[in-house]
Amino acid sequence: MKLAVTGKGGVGKTTASALLALGLARGGRSVFAIDADPDTNLAAALGFPDPDTITPIVEMKELIAERMGTRPGAVGAYFKLNPTVEDIPGRFRVEHSGIKLMVMGMVKRGGAGCACPENAFLKVLLTQVILDSDDVILVDMEAGLEHLGRGTTGNMDGLLTVVEPSLRSLETFGRVRKLAADIGVRRVWPVANRIASDEERAFVVEHLDGTGLLGCIPYSETIVKANRGQASLDEVEPEVKEEVDGIIERIYALTRS
């Protein structure tokens, strides 16, 4: 199973990714989580000790330059299109509570776009992991739509788009679904987050234009505290775990159909 998680900035995409990874591990599955967001917060959300000590691969300038055949930090230079990356996941992944994690990051600087050695290297690396790993792959993508423009998610079994009861996040889902279809990803599923009432759930369903909702993660005080560093996502309320487990079951049912 290879899944990517995306959504508009601020909807709780990384929290949803972490809850799904924890739920998969709780169900006995071997999970390889990949943080492909420039903000690289997934390790902290998963409860990894000392997450700030994990160096994102995008910051390993000398390694990337060596593999890409460029100078560290070079911009506008020629570089290899097929660098050697097979050894990278084994060397730079970390593991905690049964979850493997590789923090890739993504280039932040303005104007870098996709035509830079760092992003080209990360794209090849992500493809390598997706194609070669026997684990359940869960990729926390960057917010927005840029990754779809680069076609990074083209090898995924499904694309989960986190939405909240707001028009802007639901409009983002519509754009994600259209762009995903352009790169051959037909399985695009909305997951609602921070749902505090039946009214909010109904609002989301009404604005999904007939697209089936994969599940609704309830509003949770524990999640609020976890985002402040005052609790762990492992400690969320039973109803949150039950909903996450249901989402996972529905994903497996849909991919087998």
Side-chain angles (χ1 to χ4, degrees):
M1 178 74 72
K2 322 293 181 184
L3 301 170
V5 183
T6 187
K8 183 181 178 295
V11 297
K13 173 182 61 63
T14 296
T15 297
S17 297
L19 287 169
L20 288 165
L22 291 166
L24 286 160
R26 189 167 59 245
R29 297 177 175 94
S30 179
V31 182
F32 193 161
I34 300 173
D35 192 345
D37 190 314
D39 290 329
T40 61
N41 293 318
L42 186 56
L46 286 168
F48 275 68
D50 303 316
D52 292 339
T53 65
I54 303 172
T55 302
I57 291 173
V58 71
E59 296 179 10
M60 300 179 184
K61 303 300 183 184
E62 292 186 1
L63 172 68
I64 294 174
E66 173 206 338
R67 300 299 174 92
M68 300 299 287
T70 64
R71 291 178 292 102
V75 178
Y78 292 102
F79 50 80
K80 297 177 182 178
L81 297 179
N82 294 295
T84 301
V85 297
E86 289 83 355
D87 62 314
I88 302 299
R91 288 177 59 190
F92 297 108
R93 75 185 183 203
V94 290
E95 188 167 348
H96 177 66
S97 298
I99 296 177
K100 302 168 190 171
L101 172 68
M102 185 170 67
V103 180
M104 293 197 336
M106 198 61 67
V107 173
K108 294 182 181 180
R109 63 179 181 267
C114 60
C116 64
E118 294 92 343
N119 270 349
F121 179 82
L122 295 176
K123 182 176 179 180
V124 173
L125 175 58
L126 180 57
T127 300
Q128 174 77 27
V129 174
I130 292 170
L131 295 179
D132 286 359
S133 178
D134 292 328
D135 299 307
V136 176
I137 302 294
L138 186 71
V139 186
D140 182 21
M141 304 298 298
E142 61 188 300
L145 306 175
E146 176 66 16
H147 55 89
L148 287 169
R150 290 196 297 267
T152 325
T153 50
N155 295 305
M156 309 305 287
D157 292 316
L159 183 60
L160 308 183
T161 302
V162 180
V163 300
E164 62 180 1
S166 73
L167 285 175
R168 289 185 179 180
S169 78
L170 292 162
E171 288 167 355
T172 296
F173 168 74
R175 291 193 292 271
V176 166
R177 184 174 55 178
K178 182 179 184 303
L179 288 173
D182 292 342
I183 60 171
V185 179
R186 303 295 175 183
R187 291 169 170 162
V188 183
W189 302 306
V191 174
N193 189 36
R194 295 196 287 251
I195 300 300
S197 65
D198 290 341
E199 181 182 358
E200 289 188 345
R201 186 187 190 282
F203 178 88
V204 171
V205 171
E206 178 186 352
H207 289 85
L208 280 176
D209 193 26
T211 303
L213 185 62
L214 204 58
C216 293
I217 299 172
Y219 175 84
S220 160
E221 288 292 340
T222 304
I223 292 176
V224 172
K225 291 179 180 178
N227 289 335
R228 296 172 182 162
Q230 299 169 340
S232 166
L233 289 179
D234 264 333
E235 302 167 347
V236 292
E237 297 84 349
E239 58 266 27
V240 176
K241 290 184 178 181
E242 182 179 350
E243 184 63 21
V244 170
D245 290 345
I247 290 170
I248 291 169
E249 290 178 11
R250 287 186 281 277
I251 291 171
Y252 273 91
L254 288 166
T255 54
R256 284 193 296 263
S257 62

